[in-house]
C-alpha cells in the first residue's frame, strides 16, 4: 500500500487548481442509465471512485469512455446495450455510492439487483430511506443474501417525505421519479450543490424538475430522456481542504476553479478563527499570519458546516489558541483521525459526538494511519505544520477522492512524496551445478 512522506514547516504559496466534484460526478454517471443516448460529462476528477463507477456501469453492459487528457477529464457513457441491471458486492463493497444506480435502474429497466453497501469506517450508513422512497413510487423491494431486489412495471409518482436528510437518497429518488408516471413531490430533501448539479443534468436530458437545491423538489415524470452534455461543478470539499492547508501552513494560497458560494459556512468560520479569506469569482485567496483563535463547529446538512470538512477543521484548530468544540451530528463514528492527531502531539478529548481540541499544541511528525477519505486529508494537513517527517500509511483512502493530491501540494511548496509498497525483491537462488 502506498504511503505519503511529508516534511512539515513550509508555508504553502502560489496557486492550486481544484478538480471536478467526485460527489457530483458519481450521481451524474448513474443518470446516464436513464437514456439510450450518449451522456457526456466534463470536469470529471481522476480519482479511484470514478474508476469504480466506470467498472460498475461496464459490468451492466454500458459503454464508458473515460479520458483524462489535458483538455479532457471527460467521460462519454452510452447505455443503449445495457443488459444486466445489477451491481455486485465485489464493486459495491469498495464504494457505497454504487447504490446510486438503484433509482435509475428501476425507473428505466423495471428491475435492479444491487448489493447492500454494508457499513463503512465512519458509520452504519443504511439505505433504508432510499428503499422506503422507492416503495412509495410503487417498487416492490425484497432483500436476500445481502442484495436488494427492486422491481416495478413502471414507477408511479408519489409523495415522499424523508425521515432524515440524505444526499444520495435524494439523488436516487430524483433519478427514479423523472421517468415515473405522473407527479412526485419529495420533501425534506438534501440541499447540497451536488443535488442541484444532478438536477441540472437531468433537466438538460429532458426531465421536468422544480426546486432542486431546496428542501422540496417537484418532478413531473416523462416517457423518455435524451442524451446531454454537462460540466460537473468544482469539488467544494477539495477546495475547502486546500483552503485549510493554506491556513494551517501560514501560507498565502490562491485556490482557483472553485465556487466560493458553495463554501460560505467554512469561509465564515475560518474568518472567525482569524484566517484572511478573499472570495472572487471562481477562486478564494487564503492568507494566514498565525494567531489563530479557537472556535466551535457543529456539522450539519448543507448549507451548514459540512461533515466532510470536520476532520480537516479539527487539524486546523490544534493550532488555534484556546479550546474548540467539534460536534459531529451526521455520522456516528467520524473521529478516527483524532487519535492519530493526538499521536502527533494534539490535545483532543472525545465525549460522544463531541471532540474538545485544546490548542495551540506544536505537532511533531510521526508514522500515522489513514482510516477514511477525509481523515486522511486531516493527517496530511497536520503533517504540513508538524516538526519533522510524517509517514501516512494506506493513502489509497485519499486517492478515492483527491486527484493527484501530492502533485498539487508539491506545486505550492509542500515537501511531500509518495512511496509505493517496495515489492519484495525476488531472491535468486543460484542452483549449484
Ligand atoms: C453523501 O453520503 C456523501 N457521499 C458523503 O461524502 C457525505 O459525507 C454525506 O453525503 C453527508 O454529506 C456522496 O455524495 C457519494 P447521507 P450519503 O445519506 O448520501 C443516514 C465523502 O467524503 N441515512 O446524506 O451516503 C446516514 O447514516 C463522502 O465524499 C440513513 O439513516 O450520506 C447518515 O447518518 C463520505 N438512511 C445521514 O443519514 C438512509 O437511507 C446522512 O447520510 C440514508 C442515510
Amino acid at each position: 500500500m502506498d504511503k505519503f512522506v511529508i516534511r512539515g514547516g513550509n508555508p504553502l504559496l502560489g496557486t492550486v487548481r481544484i478538480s471536478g466534484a467526485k460527489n457530483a460526478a458519481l450521481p451524474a454517471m448513474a443518470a446516464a442509465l436513464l437514456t439510450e443516448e450518449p451522456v457526456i460529462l466534463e470536469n470529471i476528477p481522476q480519482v479511484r471512485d470514478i474508476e469504480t463507477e466506470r467498472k460498475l456501469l461496464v459490468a451492466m453492459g454500458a459503454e464508458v469512455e473515460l479520458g483524462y487528457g489535458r483538455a479532457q477529464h471527460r467521460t462519454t457513457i452510452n447505455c443503449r446495450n445495457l443488459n444486466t441491471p445489477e451491481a455486485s458486492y465485489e464493486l459495491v463493497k469498495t464504494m457505497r455510492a454504487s447504490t446510486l444506480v438503484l433509482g435509475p435502474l428501476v425507473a428505466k429497466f423495471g428491475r435492479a439487483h444491487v448489493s447492500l453497501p454494508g457499513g463503512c469506517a465512519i458509520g452504519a450508513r443504511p439505505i433504508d430511506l432510499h428503499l422506503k422512497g422507492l416503495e412509495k413510487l410503487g417498487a416492490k423491494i425484497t432483500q436476500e443474501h445481502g442484495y436488494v431486489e427492486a422491481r416495478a412495471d413502471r414507477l408511479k409518482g408519489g409523495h415522499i417525505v424523508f425521515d432524515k436528510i440524505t444526499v444520495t437518497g435524494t439523488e436516487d429518488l430524483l433519478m427514479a421519479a423523472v421517468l415515473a408516471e405522473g407527479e412526485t413531490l419529495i420533501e425534506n430533501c438534501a440541499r447540497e450543490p451536488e443535488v442541484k448539479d444532478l438536477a441540472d443534468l437531468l433537466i438538460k436530458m429532458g426531465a421536468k424538475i422544480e426546486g432542486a437545491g431546496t428542501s422540496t423538489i417537484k418532478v413531473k415524470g416523462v416517457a423518455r430522456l435524451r442524451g446531454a452534455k454537462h460540466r460537473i461543478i468544482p469539488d467544494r470539499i477539495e477546495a475547502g481542504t486546500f483552503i485549510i492547508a493554506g491556513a494551517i501552513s501560514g501560507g498565502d494560497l490562491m485556490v482557483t476553479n472553485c465556487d466560493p458560494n458553495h463554501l460560505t459556512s467554512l469561509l465564515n468560520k475560518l474568518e472567525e478563527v482569524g484566517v484572511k479569506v478573499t472570495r472572487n469569482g471562481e477562486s478564494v485567496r487564503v492568507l494566514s499570519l498565525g494567531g489563530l483563535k479557537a472556535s466551535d463547529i457543529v456539522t450539519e446538512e448543507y448549507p451548514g458546516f459540512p461533515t466532510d470538512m470536520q476532520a480537516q477543521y479539527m487539524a486546523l484548530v490544534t493550532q488555534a489558541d484556546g479550546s474548540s468544540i467539534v460536534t459531529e451530528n451526521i455520522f456516528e463514528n467520524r473521529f478516527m483521525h483524532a487519535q492519530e492527531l493526538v499521536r502527533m502531539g494534539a490535545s483532543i478529548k472525545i465525549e460522544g459526538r463531541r471532540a474538545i481540541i485544546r490548542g495551540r499544541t506544536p505537532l511533531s511528525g510521526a508514522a500515522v494511519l489513514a482510516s477514511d477519505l477525509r481523515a486522511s486529508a486531516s493527517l496530511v494537513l497536520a503533517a504540513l505544520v508538524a516538526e519533522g517527517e510524517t509517514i501516512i500509511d494506506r493513502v489509497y483512502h485519499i486517492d478515492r477522492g483527491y486527484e493527484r493530491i501530492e502533485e498539487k501540494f508539491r506545486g505550492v511548496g509542500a515537501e511531500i512524496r509518495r512511496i509505493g509498497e517496495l515489492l519484495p525483491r525476488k531472491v535468486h537462488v543460484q542452483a549449484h551445478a
Side-chain angles (χ1 to χ4, degrees):
M1 286 178 214
D2 286 4
K3 295 182 168 83
F4 279 160
V5 180
I6 300 169
R7 177 165 291 283
N10 298 7
L12 299 191
L13 303 166
T15 298
V16 64
R17 180 184 164 80
I18 298 305
S19 301
K22 156 180 95 79
N23 290 350
L26 292 171
M29 290 173 78
L33 292 163
L34 292 163
T35 177
E36 277 116 34
E37 297 177 14
V39 171
I40 300 170
L41 302 170
E42 297 183 320
N43 201 30
I44 294 282
Q46 185 172 2
V47 297
R48 180 192 289 261
D49 276 5
I50 296 297
E51 176 54 20
T52 303
E53 176 100 350
R54 184 192 67 78
K55 284 188 198 141
L56 189 67
L57 292 169
V58 167
M60 292 183 201
E63 296 149 46
V64 184
E65 280 166 45
L66 184 54
Y68 292 105
R70 175 114 347 250
Q72 285 203 339
H73 278 71
R74 178 210 311 240
T75 183
T76 303
I77 303 168
N78 198 322
C79 297
R80 62 183 163 213
N81 298 324
L82 201 116
N83 48 37
T84 318
E86 300 184 358
S88 74
Y89 175 63
E90 290 324 300
L91 283 169
V92 175
K93 74 179 179 186
T94 63
M95 185 184 70
R96 49 173 292 92
S98 313
T99 50
L100 278 165
V101 302
L102 254 174
L105 285 177
V106 186
K108 184 72 176 61
F109 302 95
R111 177 181 171 255
H113 188 76
V114 175
S115 166
L116 282 161
C120 87
I122 61 177
R125 304 193 67 189
I127 58 165
D128 56 312
L129 303 178
H130 299 232
L131 302 179
K132 270 162 71 175
L134 285 172
E135 284 178 327
K136 273 267 190 249
L137 301 185
K140 194 158 169 5
I141 306 278
T142 53
Q143 291 185 33
E144 56 179 1
H145 308 306
Y147 277 77
V148 169
E149 176 79 16
R151 287 180 179 278
D153 295 338
R154 185 174 180 201
L155 293 175
K156 293 203 176 15
H159 182 193
I160 297 164
V161 184
F162 280 117
D163 304 343
K164 278 179 86 166
I165 294 174
T166 158
V167 176
T168 50
T170 302
E171 293 164 346
D172 222 348
L173 271 302
L174 182 55
M175 290 190 279
V178 293
L179 287 181
E181 190 177 346
E183 291 201 7
T184 296
L185 179 65
I186 314 176
E187 296 189 271
N188 202 24
C189 295
R191 295 183 279 167
E192 270 69 2
E194 292 76 25
V195 175
K196 172 84 172 56
D197 199 43
L198 171 64
D200 290 346
L201 165 61
L202 291 168
I203 290 166
K204 284 178 188 170
M205 294 168 68
K208 303 225 177 310
I209 302 169
E210 283 170 31
T214 74
S215 304
T216 302
I217 299 177
K218 262 191 210 145
V219 181
K220 272 205 186 76
V222 294
R224 60 186 296 282
L225 292 174
R226 54 181 181 269
K229 187 171 175 182
H230 180 71
R231 184 173 179 78
I232 299 294
I233 55 172
D235 192 318
R236 61 192 167 95
I237 305 301
E238 185 194 20
T241 304
F242 276 97
I243 289 167
I244 289 191
I248 201 170
S249 65
D252 180 355
L253 194 62
M254 185 63 91
V255 178
T256 65
N257 194 47
C258 67
D259 185 342
N261 299 321
H262 294 162
L263 290 159
T264 306
S265 58
L266 173 72
L267 297 181
N268 291 350
K269 181 52 68 177
L270 291 180
E271 284 172 329
E272 256 180 61
V273 169
V275 178
K276 191 167 173 359
V277 287
T278 315
R279 309 151 168 84
N280 38 36
E282 296 185 346
S283 67
V284 171
R285 180 179 174 191
V286 50
L287 183 60
S288 170
L289 307 166
L292 303 180
K293 296 184 299 301
S295 182
D296 300 347
I297 58 160
V298 179
T299 64
E300 288 168 337
E301 296 86 359
Y302 192 88
F305 192 96
T307 175
D308 290 352
M309 285 302 305
Q310 178 259 107
Q312 299 91 314
Y313 181 80
M314 188 183 286
L316 177 68
V317 290
T318 66
Q319 303 308 299
D321 292 322
S323 288
S324 305
I325 299 175
V326 170
T327 306
E328 172 55 62
N329 275 336
I330 307 293
F331 291 112
E332 59 270 31
N333 186 32
R334 203 168 197 177
F335 285 144
M336 282 165 297
H337 43 286
Q339 289 321 315
E340 297 303 301
L341 293 172
V342 165
R343 295 186 56 248
M344 295 175 74
S347 162
I348 305 172
K349 226 154 92 27
I350 306 291
E351 292 170 359
R353 282 189 174 262
R354 293 179 356 143
I356 297 105
I357 301 98
R358 216 182 309 285
R360 161 180 196 293
T361 52
L363 300 180
S364 58
V368 290
L369 203 54
S371 53
D372 63 84
L373 172 53
R374 307 304 173 182
S376 329
S378 160
L379 300 180
V380 172
L381 297 177
L384 292 176
V385 73
E387 182 272 322
E389 197 168 78
T390 299
I391 299 179
I392 304 176
D393 199 355
R394 298 190 185 168
V395 292
Y396 62 83
H397 287 293
I398 212 162
D399 292 333
R400 292 191 51 175
Y402 289 94
E403 176 175 338
R404 295 180 297 106
I405 193 168
E406 71 270 29
E407 285 173 42
K408 291 187 179 184
F409 270 121
R410 259 201 308 274
V412 287
E415 257 190 78
I416 176 172
R417 68 182 198 284
R418 179 189 292 257
I419 46 174
E421 193 61 70
L422 300 179
L423 296 175
R425 280 180 305 120
K426 282 195 180 54
V427 177
H428 294 287
V429 177
Q430 295 298 339
H432 294 285

